[in-house]
């Protein structure tokens, strides 16, 4: 859902890959990664606007859809050194997938009585 | 079952070809996302949190074994080996790629299926009683009319860009198993004084952010005139429904704004121009459609479901029969409800292998037919009572033998925030936690009929407003909380639940529901279901449970 972002908050740009809908994040190398930890973090409105302008080219180029800017957790950046982490539950789920065990298509026993 | 004629097949095949071209143009950049989005939605393709989701139509919830096998094949080949049966009797695949979507639609067309009318501001896939044609209390099979409505509404040029989506449900029985009073139009079959079957037309019901119980606009419309009457309703809605605010655009808002009397007057005036026209369904046309839904060749047998349960050789089998097998209109047969609500199973999910098995079982035990319920379960509608032990054993071995249909752990839940781009909170983990809390099937049977519905947002895909216990997930400053309602019901006495107390975190919600159940068990009178007790005493005794848990 749309969420008001603080002007000085650390932020990353995210989108979905057009071809398969996979969640991706803009990296410092100018690529799109499915890993939030590899996202480029920007911290000011002008920097965000500039990054979005660049990312729009990939929207026009049919690489990604649904550009969005999300806040990330700053303490994770400094203290853990393992890249940004999502703040909201929604973005955490986007970043790491459903929180439930997905059904596994195990073989089922077919009764011998069936033709 | 209905079989496509050449018009149906041509229409669907042409649609597949059109969508293949549209996807190719999107991937090449010839179409922007803004241009493409309405086209993909018209073909049931959504972009959700993690991937594209394809919603496949299962008209009035009826599937053949061959169609179920194709759904299994799609789950295995294009998805992650499972699918999700929805509260509108459809199926959703959660992990689809855009590039493969046209191939999926082509595969579906080979078994007379499609994804039309599963999204967009059109008349959506018509839903119906999952026990249609086999329920003992039924007047006539409502699928005949549902199929006529499908043919009328599919790509209807006047109603393809309505103010908002439009949902029709239909039942042919006095017991409402299709939730007709919470649809834009609900149809409930009656007989008139001469014994002729027709429909009570209910309008302006719905859930979502503005829940409304529909009002009867006409107590009886003969079957012959039904299409013209519905067309009149649609025209009035299309003319006067709001288009400036999507949250005020459903027909329920229009009916509320001008009142049912004025709305009825407008419809009746429109109807005078439409009745006795080509929209009349001639008896021979009705008969031709009805022939598709002719009952299978049942054997002449005797016995009842109750006798089958009493005579079961195994107590677990007897419990399953009592919970999951309903009386059939033909002696010696039963309606088998297959629970998709096993412990830790996301409500409504089935794996590809389970779908394949169900197709085999349907062919062997149920004349090749399967139904999908709006409660996210499946039905084998034509089972000989003598086959119940073997069928149960096969279901049980595949994780499909949970004896909880209609009971506390038969929880209806939307995909919620684990999948859905609109959701505010997760639904499935809470459903699983409640299922674990109520895993004792002996206790579940002691509790009796109780419907819990969990929606992850105000859009109410799990129909929480009409759950005996309704749960709505909300996001309060980043925290998932759950708002509980009591006393809702979607049957022939449809009612909206009342909020009891403030929203609570998930773990407290489980305790709260367990407390409500304990309160019910303590105060119920003999033979009283949970919903009856709430109707008798109101919510006050349950609110005391809430305060005690605080």
């Amino acid at each position: 859902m749309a969420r008001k972002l603080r002007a000085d908050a650390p932020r990353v740009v995210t989108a979905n890959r057009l071809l398969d809908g996979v969640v991706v994040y803009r990296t410092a190398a100018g690529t799109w990664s499915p890993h939030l930890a590899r996202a480029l973090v920007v911290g000011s409105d002008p920097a965000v606007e500039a990054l979005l302008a660049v990312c729009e080219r990939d929207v026009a180029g049919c690489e990604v859809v649904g550009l969005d800017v999300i806040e990330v957790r700053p303490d994770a950046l400094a203290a853990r050194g393992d890249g940004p982490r999502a703040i909201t539950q929604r973005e955490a789920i986007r970043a790491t997938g459903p929180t439930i065990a997905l059904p596994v298509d195990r073989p089922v026993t077919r009764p011998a009585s069936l033709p | 079952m209905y079989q496509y004629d050449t018009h149906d097949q041509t229409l669907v095949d042409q649609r597949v070809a059109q969508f293949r071209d549209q996807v190719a143009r999107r991937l090449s950049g010839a179409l922007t996302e803004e241009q493409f989005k309405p086209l993909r939605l018209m073909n049931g393709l959504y972009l959700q949190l993690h991937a594209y989701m394809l919603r496949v139509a299962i008209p009035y919830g009826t599937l053949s074994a061959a169609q179920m096998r194709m759904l299994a094949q799609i789950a295995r080949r294009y998805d992650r080996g499972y699918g999700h049966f929805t509260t509108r009797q459809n199926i959703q695949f959660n992990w689809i790629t855009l590039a493969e979507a046209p191939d999926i639609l082509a595969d579906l067309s080979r078994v007379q299926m499609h994804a039309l009318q599963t999204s967009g501001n059109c008349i959506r896939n018509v839903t119906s009683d999952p026990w249609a044609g086999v329920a003992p209390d039924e007047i006539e099979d409502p699928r005949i009319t549902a199929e006529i409505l499908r043919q009328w509404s599919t790509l209807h040029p006047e109603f393809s860009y309505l103010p908002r989506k439009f949902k029709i449900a239909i039942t042919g029985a006095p017991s409402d198993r299709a939730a007709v009073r919470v649809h834009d139009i609900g149809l409930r079959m009656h007989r008139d004084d001469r014994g002729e079957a027709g429909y009570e037309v209910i309008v302006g019901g719905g859930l979502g952010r503005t829940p409304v119980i529909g009002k009867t606009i006409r107590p009886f419309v003969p079957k012959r005139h039904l299409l013209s009457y519905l067309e009149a309703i649609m025209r009035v809605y299309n003319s006067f429904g709001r288009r400036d605010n999507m949250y005020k655009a459903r027909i329920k808002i229009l009916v509320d704004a001008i009142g049912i009397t004025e709305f009825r007057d407008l419809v009746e005036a429109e109807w005078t121009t439409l009745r006795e026209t080509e929209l009349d369904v001639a008896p021979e046309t009705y008969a031709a459609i009805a022939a598709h839904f002719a009952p299978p060749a049942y054997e002449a047998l005797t016995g009842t479901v109750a006798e089958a349960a009493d005579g079961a050789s195994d107590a677990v089998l007897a419990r399953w029969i009592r919970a999951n097998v309903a009386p059939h209109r033909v002696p010696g047969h039963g309606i088998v409800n297959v629970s998709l609500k096993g412990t830790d199973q996301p409500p409504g999910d089935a794996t590809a292998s389970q779908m394949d098995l169900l197709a085999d079982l349907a062919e062997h035990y149920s004349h090749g037919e399967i139904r999908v319920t709006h409660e996210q379960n499946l039905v084998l509608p034509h089972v000989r009572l003598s086959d119940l032990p073997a069928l149960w054993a096969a279901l049980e071995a595949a994780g499909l033998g949970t004896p909880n249909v209609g009971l506390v752990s038969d929880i209806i839940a939307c995909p919620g925030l684990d999948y859905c781009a609109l959701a505010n909170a997760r639904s499935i983990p809470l459903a699983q936690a409640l299922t674990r809390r109520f895993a004792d099937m002996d206790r579940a049977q002691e509790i009796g009929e109780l419907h819990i519905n969990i929606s992850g947002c105000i859009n109410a895909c799990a129909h929480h407003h009409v759950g005996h216990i309704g749960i709505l997930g909300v996001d309060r400053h980043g925290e998932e909380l759950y708002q509980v309602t009591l006393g809702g019901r979607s049957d022939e006495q449809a009612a909206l639940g009342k909020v009891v107390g403030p929203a609570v975190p998930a773990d407290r919600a489980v305790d709260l529901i367990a407390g409500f159940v304990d309160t019910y068990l303590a105060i119920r009178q003999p033979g009283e279901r949970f919903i009856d007790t709430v109707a008798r005493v109101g919510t006050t005794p349950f609110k005391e449970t809430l305060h005690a848990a605080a």
Side-chain angles (χ1 to χ4, degrees):
Chain A
M1 302 299 287
R3 175 183 166 91
K4 189 168 182 177
L5 305 180
R6 291 173 295 131
D8 59 345
R11 283 159 281 177
V12 305
V13 174
T14 182
N16 292 83
R17 237 169 18 208
L18 175 65
L19 203 58
D20 54 15
V22 167
V23 176
V24 288
Y25 303 91
R26 186 72 173 186
T27 71
T31 59
W32 294 93
S33 169
H35 305 292
L36 173 57
R38 295 183 192 161
L40 169 65
V41 180
V42 288
S44 69
D45 283 348
V48 169
E49 292 304 320
L51 184 57
L52 278 175
V54 172
C55 293
E56 286 287 356
R57 291 182 210 147
D58 289 341
V59 173
C62 300
E63 188 174 353
V64 296
V65 291
L67 278 189
D68 197 8
V69 180
I70 61 167
E71 276 190 35
V72 291
R73 194 180 298 282
D75 56 348
L77 297 175
R80 298 171 56 94
D82 58 357
R85 286 191 294 169
I87 292 176
T88 65
Q89 178 76 279
R90 172 191 163 85
E91 287 306 327
I93 291 172
R94 281 187 80 240
T96 58
T99 63
I100 53 171
L102 301 184
V104 177
D105 186 23
R106 296 188 181 88
V108 298
T109 307
R110 192 173 181 280
S113 59
L114 292 181
Chain B
M1 286 184 57
Y2 182 75
Q3 298 295 313
Y4 279 8
D5 62 18
T6 54
H7 296 291
D8 295 315
Q9 193 65 54
T10 300
L11 183 153
V12 171
D13 288 345
Q14 287 178 343
R15 191 60 175 266
V16 172
Q18 289 163 3
F19 191 57
R20 191 179 293 285
D21 177 64
Q22 290 158 357
V23 169
R25 285 189 287 148
R26 175 68 186 110
L27 293 174
S28 74
L31 290 176
T32 66
E33 185 62 16
E34 187 180 17
Q35 293 166 325
F36 178 66
K37 184 177 176 181
L39 301 175
R40 69 168 160 77
L41 289 177
M42 283 181 186
N43 291 281
L45 193 65
Y46 291 71
L47 181 54
Q48 293 285 41
L49 282 189
H50 313 290
Y52 291 93
M53 178 273 280
L54 182 68
R55 183 179 294 154
V56 176
I58 301 175
Y60 34 90
T62 297
L63 277 174
S64 68
Q67 289 172 329
M68 183 64 105
R69 279 199 192 90
M70 179 57 79
L71 296 178
Q73 182 180 312
I74 288 168
R76 199 173 277 127
R77 182 172 176 186
Y78 301 105
D79 203 274
R80 295 190 180 183
Y82 67 97
H84 172 74
F85 290 97
T86 77
T87 54
R88 298 212 74 252
Q89 300 179 299
N90 293 322
I91 186 170
Q92 295 179 175
F93 294 105
N94 293 302
W95 303 95
I96 299 303
T97 71
L98 177 58
E100 289 183 330
D103 294 334
I104 301 173
L105 296 183
D107 285 352
L108 287 169
S109 76
R110 282 194 275 278
V111 291
Q112 304 189 350
M113 296 186 80
H114 56 72
L116 301 174
Q117 292 169 274
T118 62
S119 180
N121 294 339
C122 60
I123 298 174
R124 298 288 186 89
N125 182 39
V126 175
T127 54
S128 188
D129 183 350
W131 298 353
V134 293
D137 63 342
E138 185 174 274
I139 298 169
E140 283 182 17
D141 191 332
R143 293 174 302 165
I144 302 161
T145 297
E147 172 57 27
I148 290 169
L149 295 180
R150 185 195 70 79
Q151 295 186 18
W152 163 72
S153 64
T154 297
L155 304 189
H156 193 303
E158 201 173 324
F159 306 138
S160 293
Y161 293 94
L162 294 167
R164 197 75 177 87
K165 59 187 171 183
F166 202 94
K167 298 175 181 176
I168 301 175
I170 179 168
T171 177
S175 299
D176 182 1
R177 290 172 288 265
V180 299
R181 286 208 174 267
V182 288
H183 281 75
D184 296 285
I185 288 178
L187 301 173
R188 188 173 173 195
M189 189 175 279
H190 296 283
R191 287 195 190 280
D192 67 7
D193 297 341
R194 295 171 298 167
E196 184 191 353
Y199 286 100
E200 174 187 359
V201 180
I202 299 156
V203 70
L207 299 173
R209 68 182 56 228
T210 311
V212 179
I213 300 297
K215 299 172 180 67
T216 298
I217 182 170
R218 210 166 213 283
F220 189 84
V221 176
K223 284 186 293 187
R224 185 165 61 95
H225 292 310
L226 185 67
L227 282 191
S228 60
Y229 194 76
L230 297 192
E231 181 123 338
I233 293 176
M234 299 306 301
R235 281 191 173 182
V236 170
Y237 170 55
N238 210 13
S239 299
F240 298 101
R242 287 179 62 170
R243 294 175 185 270
D244 61 322
N245 181 343
M246 69 178 290
Y247 302 120
K248 304 284 186 188
R250 297 289 289 269
I251 193 172
K252 60 191 172 188
I253 304 295
L254 174 64
V255 173
D256 181 64
I258 67 176
I260 186 66
T261 303
E262 184 176 344
F263 186 84
R264 180 184 293 119
D265 290 346
L266 290 167
V267 169
E268 294 286 330
E270 188 69 36
W271 194 34
T272 59
T273 70
L274 292 170
R275 64 189 297 180
E276 310 294 353
T277 66
E278 73 278 5
L279 284 168
D280 274 2
V281 179
E284 55 270 26
T285 303
Y286 190 87
I289 300 287
H292 289 278
F293 298 97
Y298 295 112
E299 290 178 44
L301 300 169
T302 59
T304 66
V305 172
E307 290 167 354
D310 292 342
S313 58
D314 182 306
V316 182
L317 168 60
R319 185 169 59 189
W320 176 78
I321 293 174
R322 289 197 178 92
N324 289 32
V325 184
H328 196 285
R329 68 188 311 154
V330 177
H333 293 75
I335 304 169
V336 171
N337 295 278
V338 179
S339 171
L340 298 181
K341 315 291 177 61
T343 305
D344 290 330
Q345 180 180 15
D349 282 10
T351 68
S353 296
Q354 288 174 326
M355 291 186 227
D356 273 336
L357 177 71
L358 283 160
D360 292 347
L361 295 174
E363 277 185 338
H364 196 62
Y365 294 115
S366 184
H367 293 273
E369 203 175 316
I370 303 158
R371 310 284 177 79
V372 183
T373 79
H374 77 82
E375 287 157 334
Q376 300 175 296
N377 291 318
L378 299 174
V379 174
L380 299 174
H382 313 288
V383 179
R384 292 181 301 196
L385 296 176
S386 57
D387 286 332
L388 290 178
L391 174 58
W392 168 72
L395 292 170
E396 180 77 355
L400 294 167
T402 309
N404 65 346
V405 168
L407 303 180
V408 62
S409 56
D410 183 8
I411 295 169
I412 298 172
C414 70
L417 191 55
D418 279 301
Y419 294 99
C420 178
L422 298 175
N424 292 323
R426 291 172 292 166
S427 304
I428 298 170
L430 179 55
Q432 291 173 323
L434 283 164
T435 304
R436 285 193 292 273
R437 177 65 72 95
F438 293 106
D440 180 340
M441 289 300 154
D442 288 329
R443 183 157 188 268
Q445 289 221 328
E446 182 197 348
I447 295 166
E449 183 183 340
L450 173 50
H451 300 289
I452 299 178
N453 299 46
I454 308 173
S455 299
C457 77
I458 196 67
N459 292 302
C461 290
H463 305 170
H464 64 275
H465 301 102
V466 290
H468 296 175
I469 298 176
I471 304 176
L472 166 65
V474 296
D475 176 356
R476 296 266 169 83
H477 311 296
E479 184 184 9
E480 289 173 303
L481 297 177
Y482 296 89
Q483 176 79 67
V484 180
T485 55
L486 287 179
R489 58 198 297 176
S490 64
D491 61 9
E492 58 282 3
Q493 299 177 57
L496 303 174
K498 292 185 172 63
V499 172
V500 282
V504 297
D507 55 345
R508 279 202 54 211
V510 174
D511 291 337
L512 194 63
I513 304 309
F516 288 162
V517 171
D518 288 341
T519 299
Y520 155 67
L521 291 174
I523 66 175
R524 71 177 172 183
Q525 294 181 347
E528 216 174 44
R529 300 170 302 166
F530 181 90
I531 189 66
D532 302 324
T533 301
V534 176
R536 176 173 57 83
V537 304
T539 57
T540 302
F542 298 96
K543 285 180 178 170
E544 288 165 4
T545 303
L546 183 73
H547 297 317

